[in-house]
Amino acid sequence: MWLLVLGIGCSGCATELADPSVQAPSAVVDVLIVGSGPAGLSAAWAAREAGARVLILELADTVGPTAGYADNFLLADTQAQRDAGLVDSLERVAQEWPDFTEGGDAQDPMVQAFIAGLPGLEAWFLSLGAEITGPRGDKDAGMTPRLHGVRVGSGSPAESLALDLSESVWTQHRAVDVVLDEGAVVGVRFIDERSGSSGWVRAGATVVATGGFARNLDLVKSYRPELEDVALLYESHPLSSGAGLELLASADADAQNLGSIGVYVHAMADPRPGFDGEALLVPMLPMGMAVDASGERLTNEDSLWGLRMDSLLVAAEERRIWVLLPEEDWAHMDVLVPGYNSDQPRERLDPAELEAMGAVQIYADIQAVADGLDLPEAVLVEEFERYSAATETGVDEEFGKDVFLLRPFSGSIVVVEVRAAAAKSFGGARIDLEGRVLDGSPAPVPGLYAAGEVVGMLGTPDIGRGFAGSISAVHWTGLLAGESAASYGIESR
Ligand SMILES: Cc1cc2nc3c(=O)[nH]c(=O)nc-3n(C[C@H](O)[C@H](O)[C@H](O)COP(=O)(O)OP(=O)(O)OC[C@H]3O[C@@H](n4cnc5c(N)ncnc54)[C@H](O)[C@@H]3O)c2cc1C
């Protein structure tokens, strides 16, 4: 049903087992997992622990192609917090939930189970050999600092799982539709991308963990019509196309919260040839002054590094925001290439090269900025003078910006046009407390489970507009779905 809603064609229509095109399966397993991202790998780990025969189909040519990106994990009441002298509790997470998720409901059973599961998640990471560091504050994760670094050796937990589970993965295998037998999902058809041949895997239970749809900007805009005129950039890996939603929809899965898309307004457009529409990340934008086409200052610039600043951009005059930076600060700034567009860890681009490519403009003074950007000069100059006074006194009466971020302008001014980029899906298929995919009634679709971004992190609209550190929910739903799928899959041997 929501195939149509999604605007996706029917390439992912389910195949009936009785269909003559269904040949002997290429493999028979208890649990088949589609996708080897953090959710799929966690599900595979849990299913294997429960004694299931497990296979993962992965479209990319490597195991866990997305495993290494996330480094901020929401965890609560942790040893790292206690070591830092911070008091946190699961009750506090629940209290703050509606606020930091902008409208989520902590009474929702899925949300309650997730919050209650956070200590177990911390313990699981530790059992994998993780070092947990931090915490760091972020208003999108609540009032208490609770974003943590989680590293297993030099990599992420998912990278460690990818090594551990590599023998259970068929890479370059694209799952194309589910196979149904009397309404139950009994496996998945695939195309082997190397040869173009197709086949299917018979499975007692199937876990779909194919990630989100933030790369599919048509889909994003169809759920967020107010972003229609906004020139969105990509800020998710190229495989986040929403393809797994087709598989789920073909088995009658219900969808929820699809308009809840994490859009960051903290990027600049990558000017390099071959990177059209791609984002570059500029973490130090809060050191500048943000204005729109009216020439007015818009916000406490610190907020630019948060989720959900899309409303600021939509409200901005002409839907454009520029950040003005002192040239001497810009010269030392990190401009980061997102991991999926680089073969080096944390690749930085040289600000001078970006200038040469015309990615930023440099002006001698504020009048020249007004002239160059065609902004109302009187308004801009007045705002600039007020901001400059704040940098001198250390008091930003208008927006209360932190004194450490109030950088004085003494020479030339660098202007960066800040762009919005679609990063994460906080909506997708609906799941229950066992990770089972629900149909519209809502009843579980027999044999079908899902986890991670394809379920919008938690499988419930009570995640609101999402939260920072959602990779924790990705792993948590992965473990949930993997364990439940193992029990169902083993029973149906
Ligand atoms: C640069 C970057 C930094 C990030 N930093 C953070 C952070 O600090 N904190 C945080 O919480 N989140 C962060 N995220 C988001 C986080 O990485 C994702 O939310 C997470 O990876 C989602 O996990 P997943 O397993 O659900 O899906 P994915 O990681 O998207 O994995 C899905 C997998 O399914 C495979 N697949 C897709 N379709 C098919 C198919 N038809 N057949 C077979 N396989 C298929 C894909 O190839 C992929 O391997 C970041 C993302 C990026 C790109």
Side-chain angles (χ1 to χ4, degrees), residues 35 37-39 58-59 65-66 70-72 175 211 237 239 424 453 469-471:
E58 169 54 55
L59 173 56
T66 59
D71 46 20
N72 287 310
H237 72 83
L239 298 162
K424 292 185 189 182
E453 232 180 287
S470 52
I471 188 70

Side-chain angles (χ1 to χ4, degrees), residues 44-59:
W45 182 93
R48 190 187 62 183
E49 286 291 294
R53 296 167 300 171
V54 177
L55 177 67
I56 307 181
L57 298 181
E58 169 54 55
L59 173 56

Side-chain angles (χ1 to χ4, degrees), residues 18 83 89 114 135 143 159 161 164 186 216 242 326 329 409 414 429 438:
D83 291 347
S89 67
F114 169 62
M143 299 298 288
E159 285 176 304
L161 293 173
D164 179 20
V186 294
N216 189 334
D329 287 335
F409 286 85
V414 173
L438 300 177

